Amino acid sequence: MLDIKYYVLIDAIATHGTLQDAAAAIGLTQPAATHRVREMERRLGVSLFIREGRRLVLTSPGKRLLATAREVLPQLQTAEHEAWQLARRVEPALRMGIGPYDTFAHIIPSLYDQHDRDVDLVRLPMREMTAALLSRRVDIILMIDVPSQRGLTYESVFEAPLVAVLPPSHAYANASVIPPQVFDEGRHFTYSTSPEAGHEFEHFFQPAGIYPSHMIQIESVSLILELVAAGKGVSILSQWAAQDAHRAGKVAMRPLAADIAPIPWYLAYADEPHVAEVASPLASTLRALY
């Protein structure tokens, strides 16, 4: 069986692309990393990578090991951290994932009014949110699509429509509805450039035959709102996330010229009493605010 250090290297190569960059990321010299690749291929009797220029690309066996590495490594890191905390007789902190929709972070301090547990906040790219919850890298996360798996539960917190978010000085800031063309006339800030079923790409842009040509991905709704407020572009966001900035007069929030059903949001969390002790009050707070 391969030692964990080999899985760390596989993950690093998949993340960084080249052996040189992967080695630097995990504190190895390039010759040591080369030796480690050859050693694990020798032990397994398979090729794990093929070379394309300077890049190393995973073969099918390599991809299988990578999938295991990305499932197991976060669990090992969590276990080591919790073991350290338990050795100090400290109850392990709960971990709350914060994805691109980060405008609710200001309510986190209120969690400590309900309990004495520590809560770690873990920044997550959108593509890692579901995997982080499934692997228990995080215990709690606000999300749209909750994975169905034993050991997880969720609470519905609210439903919210998608809205256009514009600078207050924008020509359409007072329009009754915002047409798709507005988002193809300048910068369109978005937290994800991948079309999502049931969202604006399917029901707003596609029927109009428009795909915004100047999209800029920013994986933080808070930063998107700051850029829109500064007049640097426009965006489409869930209404709840933009409402505070709208009320403060920093951005204008207008309906889209499309029939898109409100999107339900859930607070998903590990189905354990000590997690529910934190998650349930948080869900109640979110429902009250939004």
Side-chain angles (χ1 to χ4, degrees):
M1 186 171 67
L2 293 177
D3 296 338
I4 196 67
K5 65 184 180 182
Y6 294 104
Y7 288 92
V8 171
L9 179 57
I10 291 171
D11 180 46
I13 292 173
T15 299
H16 297 282
T18 69
L19 192 61
Q20 181 179 1
D21 291 342
I26 61 175
L28 288 178
T29 64
Q30 185 168 343
T34 300
H35 174 76
R36 194 167 290 183
V37 168
R38 289 173 179 166
E39 177 62 16
M40 59 182 161
E41 290 183 328
R42 183 191 67 77
R43 288 194 191 183
L44 296 173
V46 298
S47 295
L48 299 176
F49 305 94
I50 56 174
R51 186 173 289 279
E52 294 183 357
R54 292 182 61 246
R55 299 184 67 82
L56 289 181
V57 179
L58 288 162
T59 62
S60 293
K63 290 176 181 177
R64 178 63 186 87
L65 294 182
L66 175 66
T68 297
R70 289 186 168 170
E71 178 180 351
V72 171
L73 291 174
Q75 294 182 31
L76 290 173
Q77 291 167 351
T78 296
E80 290 176 2
H81 181 63
E82 291 183 355
W84 174 79
Q85 290 180 316
L86 290 169
R88 298 175 64 240
R89 297 183 180 178
V90 175
E91 197 170 23
L94 293 183
R95 297 167 300 276
M96 180 168 183
I98 304 291
Y101 274 88
D102 53 2
T103 55
F104 72 96
H106 65 282
I107 72 170
I108 299 301
S110 68
L111 289 176
Y112 292 97
D113 297 334
Q114 309 289 335
H115 60 84
D116 294 325
R117 297 189 66 94
D118 291 335
V119 180
D120 291 341
L121 301 182
V122 182
R123 263 291 188 186
L124 293 169
M126 188 169 180
R127 64 184 178 277
E128 295 180 15
M129 290 171 61
T130 299
L133 185 62
L134 291 173
S135 68
R136 291 298 305 275
R137 181 180 165 199
V138 298
D139 303 295
I140 307 170
I141 196 163
L142 182 68
M143 62 196 317
I144 296 171
D145 298 313
V146 180
S148 177
Q149 179 167 305
R150 220 163 107 191
L152 295 179
T153 189
Y154 63 88
E155 294 189 36
S156 176
V157 287
F158 46 71
E159 289 188 352
L162 293 172
V163 295
V165 182
L166 315 167
S169 59
H170 196 280
Y172 278 83
N174 296 310
S176 57
V177 294
I178 306 301
Q181 292 81 0
V182 169
F183 299 90
D184 196 33
E185 295 171 354
R187 297 185 191 91
H188 174 203
F189 298 116
T190 178
Y191 58 88
S192 174
T193 56
S194 300
E196 298 175 88
H199 290 210
E200 68 268 27
F201 283 97
E202 180 179 352
H203 296 295
F204 185 54
F205 291 129
Q206 283 185 1
I210 288 175
Y211 191 92
S213 56
H214 194 176
M215 297 178 68
I216 299 176
Q217 183 171 350
I218 300 176
E219 293 187 342
S220 167
V221 169
S222 293
L223 291 177
I224 289 174
L225 290 169
E226 290 296 328
L227 287 164
V228 172
K232 304 304 180 184
V234 298
S235 188
I236 296 175
L237 299 170
S238 188
Q239 178 179 296
W240 71 267
Q243 70 180 31
D244 289 342
H246 173 65
R247 289 170 180 165
K250 297 176 66 176
V251 301
M253 195 167 65
R254 308 303 301 158
L256 298 173
D259 185 18
I260 306 176
I263 297 169
W265 287 77
Y266 306 92
L267 192 67
Y269 56 93
D271 191 8
E272 298 176 10
H274 70 287
V275 180
E277 181 185 62
V278 176
S280 289
L282 176 59
S284 297
T285 300
L286 288 168
R287 278 192 289 267
L289 286 176
Y290 299 112

